Amino acid sequence: MRAAGHRFAAGRNWLGAYVAAYLVFLYLPVSLIPLFSFNDSIQAAFPLQGFTFAWYGTLVGNSALSGALSNSIVVGVAAAAGATLCGTTVAYMEIYGRSPLAQAVSMISRLPFLIPGVIVGISLLIFVNLLGFGPSRLAIVLGHILVALPTSVLVMRGRFASIPRSMSEAALDLGASDWVTFRRVMLPLSLPAVGSAFMLAFLMSFDEFIVAFFLASTEPTLPLYIWSQLRFPKSLPTVMALGTMILTVSFVIAGLAELLRRRGLSQMTSRPAPAGPFKP
Amino acid sequence: MPQDALLRLEAVSKCFPGGVVGLDSVDLDIEHGEFLSLLGPSGCGKTTNLRVMAGFETPTTGRVVLAGRDITSLRPFDRPVNTVFQDYALFPHMNVAENVGFGLSLRRVPAAEQKKQVAAALDMVGLGDKIRARVAELSGGQRQRVALARAIVCKPRILLLDEPLSALDAHLREYMQMELKRLQSSLGMTFVMVTHDQTEALSISDRIVVMNKGRIEQIASPAALYDRPATRFVAGFIGTMNLLDARFVGRDGALLRYLSGDLPLELSADANALATDGQMHTIGIRPEDLVANPQAGAATAPAKINSIVFHGRALRMHASTAGGAALVIDAPRQAMQPAFDVGDIVHVSQRPGASCVILAA
Ligand SMILES: Nc1ncnc2c1ncn2[C@@H]1O[C@H](COP(=O)(O)OP(=O)(O)OP(=O)(O)O)[C@@H](O)[C@H]1O
Ligand SMILES: [Mg+2]
């Protein structure tokens, strides 16, 4: 008994060390960026030279940067709206309609997960050229809808599947058509997930590089701007300050999305209030 | 067949993908204003039957006819039928009044009229004071009643209830059974209730449909079901019944005489039962219709008591006859003079005036 307990404890220690190593590997490089963004030196190297906010100052009044930022936001919002709309529709048809066709469509829409970004980028470039409008903001939006669609479908699908079937059946039973059932029961019950899917899709678009790289014309998105700045060693600290801010915003949005998703779930599974003493 | 049934199922079958048979050629007439229960073991097709009536399942074959109109292919929202779901299915993002008013709001009932009807429906189920409550604040029993109000406020031709009381504790359940019965008769509405609780079905139904493996075994009033079960399955499912293999030995006016081993049995044949001498039948007789006598008599068969169980007003004896047949006998406790013991030989006879029944396979 005792020996087994020891072995178990030892195993737990190893597991702990493994997890710690994993976390360090995952987050140490990322944490270097905020670290150097406050470093009073143009080189990203140790030892640190002292604390400064100067690099953040260089972000202000940079018109190329603010152009790229607003570009990214416009593209992100448009792509997130498109992906959320498509994702909601596809997931709803799969869970509610349950036809083999809807299931096939849903599976196909989740497939881009497996297609390398380079391939998506090149094929979309050929496609938008064939369509005639070529590389543009619209092209990036379309590309990012494709990139974010699997996530939207997965989020919305999980949500719709967690709503008991009797909920939509009760609406139908009381006289609601399919559309009214969606609008008055299923959609309100999944609104938190819609918000969550939208934010995640926005994040994916906001952070996406490779597809935007192929599809951008003269208006770069933020990741493209950062990449273009890396050619100038002098602007490295500015890039790190920018990167830190992007990281912060990303974490906040992802946290909010997860919060929303969970809140929706807990509302769904609320049990009956404890029955008080029985009074007819 | 007369055309006056409210709802008629004609040879309705439902096969699910994968070959599971949910319903197997079900014929059923539901009359105006009756309280009908669908009773049967788990998986026998009760819920499937109810869902076919509600429109959630389309029959593989057969027709559903409501008041003379074929509604087989109508969607749920086009049927004047409402359902109380087993999990109540209240909308968590609406309060009690909005839940109950949901059906009315879709029927374009004017707002003032809606309010009046919602309040009336909630009063009817005793929740008039909960009109503004959120669903999450309600107890299980209260949710059940809101679900009931939400359905009856739509004035359905038929109210379908899928095990409406199964989630309630025993005390509340008994009370709600009487409430359901009271509601049903005061509204004059037709109720079809699924249950697997025979006591519940027997105590509140006008008629009971006993189902087994997707088929209807018998449709009868509670008393008729208890007194004259038609099949072995029904006899075994409703209460306790001795199932005895017996040989037909003759007819005596309206009485048919049988012999099960040494035990003579008689039953009054209201139908022109065409039994021939020597024919074997399965005979059902209730434990309370058997008497354990201390002395042998003209129409008794000896049996050895294997166990005696206290059963409230009766003592239930399990005994076996010389021929090896197992008997269950209920003896009123006062009448146990002298008291029997396990291992005693008693002389079993049919209680005078009691009848038994012939059971189909
Ligand atoms: N959607 C479905 N797909 C496949 N099989 C189904 C489906 N619904 C029901 N069945 C099967 O049909 C049979 C009848 O099911 P049904 O739900 O009607 O039983 P029930 O009498 O209501 O049982 P319970 O008392 O357990 O609720 C069962 O064997 C069940 O597994
Ligand atoms: Mg059921």
Side-chain angles (χ1 to χ4, degrees):
Chain A
M1 241 4 253
R2 228 186 137 74
H6 272 284
R7 222 176 305 146
F8 183 60
R12 283 242 301 232
N13 284 341
W14 277 112
L15 186 65
Y18 171 73
V19 169
Y22 173 72
L23 287 178
V24 166
F25 176 70
L26 203 62
Y27 287 109
L28 186 68
V30 174
S31 64
L32 289 179
I33 291 184
L35 187 68
F36 286 123
S37 76
F38 295 109
N39 186 23
D40 194 3
S41 159
I42 205 151
Q43 247 102 42
F46 292 105
L48 299 176
Q49 300 295 318
F51 186 86
T52 177
F53 273 124
W55 307 123
Y56 287 86
T58 61
L59 295 177
V60 186
N62 180 337
S63 67
L65 169 61
S66 53
L69 178 65
S70 71
N71 228 349
S72 265
I73 290 174
V74 169
V75 168
V77 168
T84 308
L85 188 68
C86 295
T88 304
T89 317
V90 168
Y92 192 68
M93 287 325 290
E94 183 192 355
I95 302 292
Y96 178 85
R98 290 208 276 194
S99 73
L101 179 67
Q103 278 165 16
V105 168
S106 170
M107 215 183 71
I108 291 170
S109 72
R110 279 175 276 143
L111 224 52
F113 261 150
L114 304 176
I115 307 177
V118 187
I119 308 288
V120 174
I122 295 173
S123 51
L124 276 173
L125 180 60
I126 297 171
F127 186 65
V128 295
N129 278 332
L130 284 177
L131 281 184
F133 56 88
S136 58
R137 278 212 299 211
L138 178 62
I140 304 179
V141 168
L142 292 180
H144 282 180
I145 288 178
L146 200 68
V147 169
L149 191 59
T151 313
S152 314
V153 172
L154 281 178
V155 170
M156 293 314 297
R157 202 165 159 263
R159 177 59 187 180
F160 287 134
S162 77
I163 298 176
R165 185 134 193 99
S166 61
M167 212 56 85
S168 57
E169 287 183 343
L172 291 172
D173 187 74
L174 292 165
S177 62
D178 291 313
W179 167 245
V180 173
T181 298
F182 175 72
R183 192 174 52 78
R184 291 196 46 188
V185 175
M186 297 303 275
L187 185 62
L189 286 179
S190 23
L191 264 185
V194 172
S196 170
F198 183 90
M199 285 195 251
L200 288 178
F202 176 83
L203 260 191
M204 294 187 80
S205 163
F206 196 73
D207 297 342
E208 203 283 334
F209 175 77
I210 189 90
V211 171
F213 178 76
F214 280 100
L215 298 177
S217 59
T218 52
E219 299 161 308
T221 59
L222 206 51
L224 291 182
Y225 170 79
I226 291 176
W227 183 78
S228 69
Q229 291 306 299
L230 288 180
R231 274 175 297 169
F232 315 114
K234 270 207 308 222
S235 58
L236 187 61
T238 309
V239 165
M240 297 226 239
L242 181 57
T244 306
M245 297 196 60
I246 293 177
L247 263 181
T248 312
V249 171
S250 295
F251 273 127
V252 168
I253 292 182
L256 280 179
E258 180 60 14
L259 217 68
L260 261 186
R261 200 182 64 82
R262 289 209 191 156
R263 213 199 67 186
L265 282 182
S266 69
Q267 173 204 347
M268 211 48 249
T269 52
S270 75
R271 308 283 357 128
F278 169 64
K279 299 184 291 296
Chain B
M1 271 207 268
Q3 268 303 314
D4 58 5
L6 177 55
L7 186 81
R8 165 171 298 163
L9 302 186
E10 290 175 4
V12 168
S13 295
K14 177 71 190 178
C15 302
F16 291 107
V20 182
V21 178
L23 290 177
D24 186 1
S25 190
V26 165
D27 285 299
L28 176 60
D29 274 8
I30 299 171
E31 307 298 337
H32 291 269
E34 75 171 328
F35 197 129
L36 187 82
S37 291
L38 303 178
L39 178 65
S42 185
C44 71
K46 307 179 295 286
T47 298
T48 307
N49 198 346
L50 206 71
R51 290 172 62 82
V52 164
M53 297 180 196
F56 297 126
E57 308 281 2
T58 321
T60 316
T61 60
R63 296 203 314 151
V64 184
V65 181
L66 181 79
R69 188 163 71 114
D70 188 329
I71 60 165
T72 313
S73 52
L74 285 193
R75 300 283 310 277
F77 46 80
D78 286 328
R79 298 189 183 201
V81 166
N82 287 109
T83 308
V84 175
F85 290 84
Q86 187 168 6
D87 62 357
Y88 316 143
L90 299 181
F91 305 129
H93 59 300
M94 302 181 190
N95 68 16
V96 169
E98 288 164 340
N99 263 286
V100 177
F102 187 81
L104 297 177
S105 72
L106 295 170
R107 283 169 181 71
R108 307 237 156 74
V109 177
E113 181 61 24
Q114 266 186 47
K115 255 177 110 172
K116 226 172 68 192
Q117 292 190 20
V118 166
L122 281 171
D123 278 339
M124 201 174 300
V125 297
L127 282 180
D129 54 332
K130 293 284 183 194
I131 193 156
R132 296 270 154 252
R134 289 178 349 103
V135 170
E137 295 160 5
L138 301 179
S139 71
Q142 290 169 334
R143 287 178 188 204
Q144 213 271 319
R145 282 184 271 172
V146 173
L148 208 55
R150 184 175 71 172
I152 59 179
V153 81
C154 298
K155 301 196 176 60
R157 300 293 299 272
I158 303 179
L159 185 71
L160 306 173
L161 307 106
D162 192 357
E163 309 212 13
L165 310 179
S166 62
L168 306 180
D169 63 62
H171 189 164
L172 190 52
R173 178 147 76 213
E174 211 164 295
Y175 171 76
M176 281 305 295
Q177 286 172 5
M178 293 306 116
E179 275 291 294
L180 275 184
K181 185 70 193 161
R182 179 187 65 77
L183 258 177
Q184 186 264 339
S185 44
S186 71
L187 290 167
M189 200 179 271
T190 308
F191 278 29
V192 177
M193 180 180 78
V194 163
T195 178
H196 59 244
D197 179 349
Q198 49 156 310
T199 322
E200 187 169 295
L202 289 170
S203 55
I204 56 178
S205 318
D206 296 320
R207 288 197 304 155
I208 298 173
V209 178
V210 182
M211 297 185 61
N212 182 32
K213 296 186 182 144
R215 294 179 153 275
I216 292 183
E217 292 270 337
Q218 189 174 6
I219 308 174
S221 70
L225 207 59
Y226 190 83
D227 292 341
R228 294 187 299 280
T231 66
R232 267 170 170 276
F233 176 82
V234 177
F237 194 73
I238 308 282
T240 308
M241 190 165 255
N242 292 292
L243 304 179
L244 302 171
D245 289 326
R247 190 160 42 84
F248 180 71
V249 291
R251 177 187 283 270
D252 186 356
L255 286 183
L256 303 182
R257 297 196 179 283
Y258 281 84
L259 205 54
S260 169
D262 302 331
L263 177 64
L265 297 168
E266 55 186 38
L267 61 94
S268 47
D270 33 28
N272 304 327
L274 290 173
T276 53
D277 276 5
Q279 203 176 2
M280 295 299 291
H281 280 134
T282 303
I283 300 295
I285 184 163
R286 296 275 173 207
E288 62 264 32
D289 289 338
L290 286 176
V291 182
N293 308 283
Q295 256 83 46
T300 63
K304 184 160 163 259
I305 300 177
N306 298 323
S307 68
I308 300 179
V309 182
F310 177 73
H311 241 250
R313 291 175 55 188
L315 288 180
R316 174 158 290 184
M317 293 185 277
H318 293 265
S320 46
T321 65
L327 293 177
V328 182
I329 308 161
D330 277 356
R333 280 212 289 153
Q334 280 82 4
M336 289 283 286
Q337 304 287 353
F340 297 117
D341 254 325
V342 172
D344 286 358
I345 300 290
V346 291
H347 301 274
V348 181
S349 63
Q350 181 175 2
R351 187 167 57 78
S355 182
C356 41
V357 289
I358 305 175
L359 301 170

